[in-house]
Amino acid sequence: NESSSEIELVGALSDLTEILHRAYGVAPILLVDNYDVPIQQINCANSYRKLVQFLRNLFAGGIKDNPHLSFAVLTGILHPGKYGLFDDLGNASVYTVLDHKYSNYFGFTEEEIRSVADYYNAADRFEEIRNWYGGYQIGKTEIFQPWSTMNYLSCGCEPRVFWQTNPCNRVLTDAVSHADWEMLQKLIRLLNGNQFAACVDTGISAAQISEDASALYSYMLMSGYLKSIQTESSISGDFMCQLALPNQEVSFLYRRAVLQALEDSISHQTAMSIQEMLYINDRAGLQEKIPVLLTQILRALGEVNYPKILLGLCALFSGAYTVNGMENGSGRFDVQMKPKNKELPGILIGFRTEKNYAGYALKQLAETALKQLSDKKLDAELSLSGVKVIYKYGVAFSGKNVELMMR
């Protein structure tokens, strides 16, 4: 309680295990889940140091040389070695998502999922379960998310996002807001269902996450927001990994985080309208709404930031489209959006930017942007893939001045 002294709190685990041992005659097993959540959520440097010291004393008092304890298992995202939490224990073993030993205990295995699905008379839904909630790669084992899988089965096998609250949501939103060119391009690859290579450090601390991209990717991997489909030792002593999104649920979380980070550029109303139009295949509505979207983004950004524009389009459309961007020299950029459902229109967007343009000059620049799409024959590529209708937009902007032509 609030009146307990720090000495009493530090001895809490030791006292609890002793009470259980004496009551039941068997030394208990200590399970501590998410031991590192308080460390991740604390912001004050002084409080951070006090918390780390308290946890060190708590675990040392409750685990080391405790005759009333069989063994202890602690789970979390961040490596305890960075905080020295287990320094006093001497014989602690640490296993991460890249280790094969105990990998089948990180969640449900395929065999377990098939058994549970069969119990719920949902054996025919296995692939849907895998696409939405499987795909986590722990060591050499594919793991399924237990919470989401059980919610899916108990809710009539309707796929949706159940994994709503997680510290990573905030971390990802902050990362998108401050991402550099290289990180934005990697996020775009993820949303398009592709992978990228990155150096991974399994021993990152909370303080490192905002300092460099490698630490962020490591954190997202440790937390389940990424999976490693190929892992090799690095000369730096860490790992080189090919990283990808594990499943549909996580893809939705990324898209939501991106839209939250870009909420000043893409209004909630516009995002919802586009999602509704995609859902009902409203081609005419899309044709009219896309200019509104592009104008909002460009005026809000007020600068040439093609990766952020492309990332916003990926977040909105990646469920229905494959979005690709092509830079064509200074001030020129093209976007090709290929629909996964051929009943939806293909979308081509040509961007041109110049300084100090307005009025008629900006309109002419928009016409040039529209013409460059035909010159590159990007529409022919969409037609060959079976797309029947193609919308083309030429966009010119200079600062916050935007002009758009469509065909």
Side-chain angles (χ1 to χ4, degrees), residues 51-67:
L51 174 62
V52 170
Q53 186 58 50
F54 171 78
L55 291 175
R56 286 185 65 179
N57 294 336
L58 176 68
F59 295 140
I63 299 175
K64 184 180 180 182
D65 299 327
N66 185 349

Side-chain angles (χ1 to χ4, degrees), residues 102-232:
Y102 302 121
S103 61
N104 56 321
Y105 296 109
F106 278 68
F108 287 161
T109 62
E110 177 179 338
E111 182 181 358
E112 291 167 334
I113 287 294
R114 289 189 182 277
S115 177
V116 171
D118 187 57
Y119 175 83
Y120 278 88
N121 296 316
D124 59 328
R125 298 297 189 99
F126 174 76
E127 287 304 324
E128 184 170 70
I129 297 173
R130 166 176 274 166
N131 290 335
W132 271 84
Y133 311 115
Y136 297 98
Q137 195 68 31
I138 312 297
K140 300 176 182 177
T141 307
E142 181 186 7
I143 290 295
F144 293 70
Q145 220 271 18
W147 168 260
S148 297
T149 301
M150 294 311 300
N151 273 280
Y152 166 86
L153 291 168
S154 63
C155 291
C157 297
E158 294 182 6
R160 64 183 71 167
V161 178
F162 295 105
W163 191 25
Q164 299 281 359
T165 56
N166 190 295
C168 304
N169 295 345
R170 175 179 54 81
V171 171
L172 182 56
T173 300
D174 291 344
V176 173
S177 300
H178 303 98
D180 60 15
W181 184 282
E182 183 179 354
M183 182 182 292
L184 287 171
Q185 290 178 319
K186 288 182 176 179
L187 289 171
I188 290 166
R189 290 187 62 79
L190 289 177
L191 291 179
N192 273 330
N194 298 315
Q195 62 197 49
F196 68 87
C199 185
V200 168
D201 177 8
T202 59
I204 57 163
S205 67
Q208 293 176 280
I209 296 171
S210 60
E211 294 177 357
D212 67 84
S214 178
L216 174 67
Y217 303 142
S218 301
Y219 177 77
M220 303 309 282
L221 175 64
M222 297 301 121
S223 61
Y225 268 54
L226 291 171
K227 69 174 180 179
S228 176
I229 57 179
Q230 183 177 337
T231 304
E232 296 182 9

Side-chain angles (χ1 to χ4, degrees), residues 291 294-304 306 309 331 350-366 369 394-405:
L294 296 173
T295 303
Q296 280 183 359
I297 295 175
L298 292 170
R299 284 181 175 161
L301 291 176
E303 61 177 349
V304 182
Y306 294 128
I309 295 170
F351 292 94
R352 292 293 296 266
T353 181
E354 294 287 353
K355 293 182 179 179
N356 304 318
Y357 269 47
Y360 179 74
L362 200 61
K363 287 184 179 180
Q364 287 294 103
L365 193 61
V395 184
F397 59 105
S398 181
K400 290 187 179 293
N401 295 320
V402 180
E403 193 68 47
L404 188 145
M405 298 289 180

